[in-house]
Amino acid sequence: MEKRRYILTSSWSFRGWKLLPYAVQSLLFPRTEFFGTEDWQLFSACDGQRDINWAELTEAQRKKYEHWEKNGFIRPARDGEKLRQEQEYRFYPARFKQGVQWSITGRCNYRCKHCFMSAPHAAQGEPDWEQLMTMLDAFQRCGIKCVNLTGGEPMVRRDFWELVDEIRARDIMIPTLYSNGLLITDQFLDELEKRRMCPDLQFSFDGVGWHDWMRGIPGAEKTVLCAMRRCHERGIRTSATMVIFRDNRNTIRETANLLASIGCSSLKTGIATPAGEWKQYPEHYLSQAELYETYLDYIPKYFEDGAPISLSLDGFFLHDNSSGRQFSPVEKKVQEKDFPQALMCGHARRELYVSPRGNVLPCMSMVGGPIEDQFPNMLETPLEEILDDGSYYMNAINFRVSDFMEHNPECRTCRYRTECCGGCRAAAVFADPDDYLAKDPVTCEYYLGGWMEKKNELLSRIGRDDRN
């Protein structure tokens, strides 16, 4: 009787969480694959120790082993070979979260006019070392594999590198660092290189000729562009986010082309919202309709320029140069029969945001507003409890589209209900902080204002309508 032994390849480990007990997780990349009970019985035998009686398997089961081997999850085991300790099965007593966006400080070295968390005044404060370790220990206990560091400006912490080393000592990855660029010096990049780290660097850049004004620091534009060039020379991937307001709305084309010319991989834009510091500048506000007009004006120019950079115009339009994909994130397109299972926000189920105060939120866009204080604080409540059914946080991220429709009966008859599916919760609670299931006025404007049709008509006219 033919017997075989398989073992996980060196980059994979056995893992499990509440309600998702069967999984393998990459030790090198932010990736986790889940299994059903039947497949797990087959896969978990790949420990290098157990014999697999090949003749007793069905044809379908053999093909599964062959598929897993072909895709790099397993390989034939050598005699006496067994899993390394870090590859052995671990069960985490919490619901699954792949990653966390962690604001390690509420301080900043810039004076950005649009800062929704009022970092120029350190309104969110800064956790001390003991508090950081409390949060980091909790991430580790809950099996969180990735931590993206943001702020404020995360690099202003004097103990920044000590924290990086603590994170990595727990086998947690740091895929992305967010920065304004001022502290991204050659010395900073040397420290990354010394640790054999190559995270993505996401920079803020608010338009050619307007960045200094928005950031409140003379020379900010030159500084961040130099930082991007420096990263590109070192082979570090960079991306940029641009806040759109009345004055810089016509600089998107010049900005995108400039960023592309210095090796920046992508540009994401979004409107400046009247929160935090931006409340002081109403004369610079841009309406949602004006923003959409701006996007319609730029899209043909983007393709005229050869789509120089991957582009995300808020939820309005996205073009990914690496995959060739083109779509509108706001268009969810869920069949009505699937509403009972369809989540309001899938992203919030995979990742969480932790504010400088330790509040656990579905996303960063909710920090600084009245809704923030309704969410639990992981310095007061164990993260395991926060990531368990029945908590305010889990109830919020578990809402289905059917819950939204029941809460907003007038939406049930809307012709766009299967496209919209309730919109974005962050935008909804910004408009109505006392109602987590409120309607999202931004998404309502997109559909009821006719902007989807206008955009699709434009894409069809310029030969860029990729809809199936």
Side-chain angles (χ1 to χ4, degrees):
M1 181 180 295
E2 181 185 1
K3 294 183 179 180
R4 299 188 183 186
R5 286 186 180 181
Y6 285 106
I7 191 169
L8 287 183
T9 53
S10 60
S11 60
W12 290 95
S13 59
F14 289 123
R15 296 292 184 263
W17 291 262
K18 283 188 174 181
L19 301 187
L20 293 170
Y22 308 133
V24 289
Q25 187 171 66
S26 174
L27 296 169
L28 303 177
F29 306 103
R31 182 180 174 189
T32 304
E33 299 286 336
F34 295 95
F35 294 84
T37 304
E38 183 178 342
D39 281 354
W40 182 251
Q41 290 176 348
L42 298 173
F43 200 95
S44 59
C46 300
D47 59 3
Q49 302 294 299
R50 279 182 272 182
D51 289 326
I52 298 170
N53 293 321
W54 200 252
E56 293 182 358
L57 299 178
T58 66
E59 184 64 23
Q61 290 171 332
R62 292 175 190 166
K63 287 183 177 180
K64 286 181 179 179
Y65 279 119
E66 291 167 354
H67 172 76
W68 294 329
E69 182 179 2
K70 180 180 178 181
N71 285 274
F73 293 105
I74 61 175
R75 61 171 175 79
R78 295 183 289 271
D79 289 343
E81 192 173 17
K82 61 181 181 179
L83 296 172
R84 304 192 312 275
Q85 184 177 359
E86 63 268 27
Q87 292 182 285
E88 294 175 354
Y89 182 79
R90 297 179 191 174
F91 179 81
Y92 299 103
R95 297 292 295 275
F96 171 75
K97 290 288 180 180
Q98 181 74 45
V100 56
Q101 190 175 21
W102 189 15
S103 282
I104 58 175
T105 180
R107 295 190 300 116
C108 189
N109 47 7
Y110 276 11
R111 297 190 293 272
C112 301
K113 292 179 173 62
H114 69 297
C115 185
F116 55 85
M117 67 164 58
S118 294
H121 306 294
Q124 286 272 325
E126 181 175 272
D128 60 30
W129 182 257
E130 183 179 353
Q131 291 171 321
L132 285 180
M133 291 303 99
T134 296
M135 290 188 272
L136 183 56
D137 288 343
F139 298 152
Q140 184 180 15
R141 290 195 313 271
C142 293
I144 292 173
K145 190 63 179 176
C146 306
V147 170
N148 300 308
L149 300 182
T150 185
E153 172 62 29
M155 290 72 172
V156 301
R157 290 196 67 107
R158 294 181 179 179
D159 53 12
F160 175 79
W161 290 113
E162 289 85 352
L163 177 60
V164 167
D165 291 339
E166 285 287 343
I167 293 170
R168 298 180 75 233
R170 289 164 168 78
D171 294 323
I172 296 175
M173 304 173 191
I174 306 176
T176 307
L177 298 174
Y178 296 81
S179 179
N180 57 38
L182 182 61
L183 299 178
I184 308 302
T185 61
D186 282 323
Q187 182 181 2
F188 179 90
L189 298 180
D190 288 343
E191 290 293 329
L192 286 180
E193 191 172 308
K194 185 190 305 181
R195 292 166 172 81
R196 297 183 179 180
M197 294 176 61
C198 194
D200 290 353
L201 267 292
Q202 185 172 118
F203 295 100
S204 303
F205 187 74
D206 296 319
V208 174
W210 284 99
H211 189 68
D212 287 12
W213 180 83
M214 185 60 122
R215 298 288 154 177
I217 298 291
E221 180 172 333
K222 180 180 178 181
T223 296
V224 71
L225 293 175
C226 285
M228 289 187 194
R229 290 188 179 97
R230 194 175 291 122
C231 288
H232 183 61
E233 290 168 0
R234 301 269 192 129
I236 295 176
R237 185 178 183 274
T238 62
S239 58
T241 58
M242 178 181 180
V243 174
I244 307 296
F245 54 101
R246 181 166 300 281
D247 310 81
N248 75 345
R249 61 185 292 194
N250 294 321
T251 69
I252 301 177
R253 183 179 195 178
E254 184 180 3
T255 297
N257 290 339
L258 173 62
L259 294 174
S261 74
I262 61 175
C264 186
S265 65
S266 64
L267 171 64
K268 181 179 180 179
T269 69
I271 196 169
T273 54
E277 301 301 290
W278 197 239
K279 291 179 181 178
Q280 304 174 49
Y281 302 95
E283 67 274 20
H284 299 281
Y285 289 4
L286 197 64
S287 71
Q288 200 66 35
E290 289 172 319
L291 178 71
Y292 290 155
E293 285 285 5
T294 299
Y295 290 162
L296 289 177
D297 177 70
Y298 173 58
I299 288 173
K301 299 171 184 175
Y302 171 72
F303 287 112
E304 287 173 15
D305 296 336
I309 191 170
S310 290
L311 180 71
S312 176
L313 299 176
D314 215 336
F316 190 77
F317 174 78
L318 186 149
H319 187 275
D320 183 358
N321 282 346
S322 62
S323 67
R325 294 184 67 208
Q326 176 177 300
F327 61 99
S328 297
V330 73
E331 297 175 21
K332 296 180 180 178
K333 301 179 181 177
V334 175
Q335 295 297 317
E336 196 161 356
K337 64 181 176 59
D338 296 325
F339 280 0
Q341 292 79 38
L343 294 164
M344 292 292 293
C345 180
H347 174 80
R349 288 293 294 269
R350 296 187 300 273
E351 299 187 355
L352 55 84
Y353 169 76
V354 177
S355 76
R357 294 172 176 168
N359 290 328
V360 178
L361 306 170
C363 73
M364 190 177 189
S365 300
M366 295 182 181
V367 73
I371 194 72
E372 179 183 358
D373 292 333
Q374 297 182 34
F375 282 89
N377 188 295
M378 64 180 298
L379 295 174
E380 301 168 357
T381 304
L383 186 58
E384 293 89 333
E385 294 184 19
I386 296 172
L387 299 182
D388 202 0
D389 288 340
S391 73
Y392 183 88
Y393 171 83
M394 288 301 295
N395 287 340
I397 69 168
N398 279 334
F399 278 122
R400 266 49 179 183
V401 177
S402 56
D403 297 317
F404 174 84
M405 293 297 172
E406 183 177 351
H407 189 72
N408 299 279
E410 65 276 21
C411 294
R412 297 178 192 170
T413 57
C414 178
R415 60 179 291 200
Y416 298 107
R417 61 188 178 277
T418 58
E419 298 268 357
C420 161
C421 297
C424 171
R425 293 305 85 208
V429 298
F430 180 81
D432 190 346
D434 295 323
D435 185 0
Y436 194 84
L437 286 175
K439 289 189 287 186
D440 167 12
V442 174
T443 303
C444 284
E445 172 66 26
Y446 176 76
Y447 287 106
L448 300 180
W451 297 103
M452 179 178 70
E453 287 84 358
K454 292 175 185 177
K455 179 197 64 186
N456 290 337
E457 180 184 349
L458 169 66
L459 291 173
S460 179
R461 188 167 68 247
I462 64 175
R464 292 288 177 173
D465 190 347
D466 293 343
R467 290 174 297 164
N468 293 326

